[in-house]
Amino acid sequence: MRAVVQTVGRASVTVDGEVVGAIGNGLLVLLGVTHTDTAETARTMARKVHELRILEGERSAADTGAPILVVSQFTLYGDARKGRRPSWTAAAPAEAAEPLVTAVVDALRERGAKVETGRFRAHMLVESTNIGPQTLLLDL
C-alpha cells in the first residue's frame, strides 16, 4: 500500500459537478493498493497516517483532530521505466482495492479521525491548497 500525504489548508473532491468530500486544515491522502495488501496493511496505513507528525509543531492528526480526505489513487503503482506509457500491473484490481481503501477509511474513523472521501472508480476533480508544502510518501 502506498500513500502520498499532503498537509493542506483545504482540499475537495468533485464528481460530476458535485462535491463529494471536502476538508479544511488537515491531510489529503492519495492512497494506492497493490496485490499483496491485506486488512492488516490497511490498519497499519491508517495508524501511520493518523499519527504522522507533519502538521504544524510536529503534531499529527491524532493530536490535533485535523480532518483527513482519502482519495483512491491506483496510479501510485504506475511504472513508466520502460517507455512513455505507464504499466498498471502493480496496482490491485478494483475489486480487491476498493474494500482495502474502505478498510483504511474505517480504521481511521475507529481511531476517532474525521474522514472525508472521494468516490471509488469515478472521474474525480481533486483540488487542494497545500501548506508548506509538505508531502510525504508512505510505502508499506
Side-chain angles (χ1 to χ4, degrees):
M1 194 168 281
R2 284 185 183 153
V4 172
V5 182
Q6 298 178 310
T7 56
V8 296
R10 66 178 180 269
S12 64
V13 179
T14 303
V15 176
D16 295 330
E18 172 193 358
V19 175
V20 297
I23 62 168
N25 286 320
L27 300 176
L28 171 60
V29 178
L30 305 176
L31 184 65
V33 178
T34 193
H35 303 281
T36 57
D37 290 332
T38 64
E40 182 59 32
T41 311
R43 284 189 294 278
T44 300
M45 181 60 79
R47 180 183 52 77
K48 284 191 169 275
V49 166
H50 198 225
E51 296 177 1
L52 190 60
R53 297 186 169 280
I54 64 170
L55 296 171
E56 188 174 339
E58 294 185 10
R59 296 174 70 199
S60 68
D63 297 331
T64 64
I68 302 169
L69 175 59
V70 177
V71 180
S72 175
Q73 188 79 39
F74 78 92
T75 60
L76 291 178
Y77 279 100
D79 183 355
R81 289 178 289 182
K82 293 184 180 180
R84 298 171 293 166
R85 181 175 293 142
S87 165
W88 311 112
T89 58
E95 299 75 24
E98 186 172 12
L100 291 172
V101 171
T102 300
V104 170
V105 169
D106 290 347
L108 283 165
R109 288 180 175 147
E110 287 169 10
R111 297 177 60 82
K114 179 185 182 297
V115 182
E116 296 281 323
T117 65
R119 187 172 294 156
F120 202 87
R121 289 181 123 175
H123 181 79
M124 296 178 277
L125 173 62
V126 180
E127 295 182 90
S128 67
T129 302
N130 294 7
I131 295 177
Q134 292 190 69
T135 302
L136 188 67
L137 173 66
L138 298 178
D139 200 359
L140 301 183

